[in-house]
Amino acid sequence: VNEIRRQFQDPAVAEGTKEPDYDSCVAIATKASLRQMVPPAALVILTPLVVGILFGKHTLAGVLPGAISSGVQMAISSSNTGGAWDNAKKYIEAGGLGEGKGKGSAQHAAAVTGDTVGDPLKDTSGPALNILIKLMAIISVVFAPVMTSKYSGLVFNMLQNNM
């Protein structure tokens, strides 16, 4: 927003006689989105490692089905929510609400807003959860030798040795 405001301070850009610097806006948005992807990625990658190493293979075997079931539920909910908003907009555009409540009405404007929010849910968020579920499982399989070695279940091993 600050970059856009800065560019509009140039009278030529504000009047439309000069092209704004789109590349700087895209670069700012890209950098911010990549920065915001680090915590979710770390959560998906580190959860099986930390759980397996600290609590052992049996605990990890419980975490993975939990991640799968909650991830599938979130993916289905995201996809269905996005599809419902899209269908609501199409219903209003087809005149389903009656005369005067189609395109150009307040109801249609609200449906367009809902569809704008729903499209990313339907098209990206739901399918992306599938990748996260698979990534957790693959990381668990790749690091399975560590999970089954003497370094597995450090917390439980310490508790057993102290008793």
Side-chain angles (χ1 to χ4, degrees):
V1 173
N2 291 334
E3 175 63 16
I4 294 169
R5 285 183 183 151
R6 185 193 66 75
Q7 290 187 31
F8 269 104
Q9 289 176 353
D10 182 356
V13 172
E15 293 168 1
T17 58
K18 177 182 169 187
E19 284 287 313
D21 182 14
Y22 297 113
D23 291 339
S24 64
C25 294
V26 170
I28 291 168
T30 303
K31 195 181 306 182
S33 64
L34 290 174
R35 195 175 324 113
Q36 290 179 2
M37 283 303 300
V38 170
L43 180 69
V44 169
I45 292 170
L46 295 177
T47 295
L49 294 175
V50 170
V51 168
I53 291 171
L54 292 182
F55 300 106
K57 61 186 175 187
H58 299 293
T59 306
L60 180 59
V63 167
L64 288 177
I68 290 169
S69 61
S70 62
V72 165
Q73 173 60 36
M74 290 295 296
I76 291 171
S77 295
S78 294
S79 295
N80 285 343
T81 300
W85 278 336
D86 185 43
N87 290 340
K89 183 186 81 165
K90 290 177 184 174
Y91 179 77
I92 291 171
E93 288 174 348
L97 294 180
E99 265 319 294
K101 295 185 179 177
K103 281 191 174 183
S105 68
Q107 292 86 353
H108 183 257
V112 169
T113 301
D115 186 44
T116 302
V117 173
D119 277 342
L121 284 173
K122 176 182 63 177
D123 299 335
T124 58
S125 296
L129 286 167
N130 181 31
I131 296 166
L132 296 179
I133 292 166
K134 288 179 182 178
L135 183 60
M136 285 183 80
I138 293 297
I139 289 171
S140 300
V141 169
V142 168
F143 287 95
V146 175
M147 310 303 175
T148 58
S149 71
K150 65 180 181 179
Y151 300 109
S152 173
L154 295 174
V155 171
F156 289 147
N157 289 339
M158 287 189 316
L159 289 173
Q160 280 181 338
N161 291 339
N162 290 335
M163 291 183 170

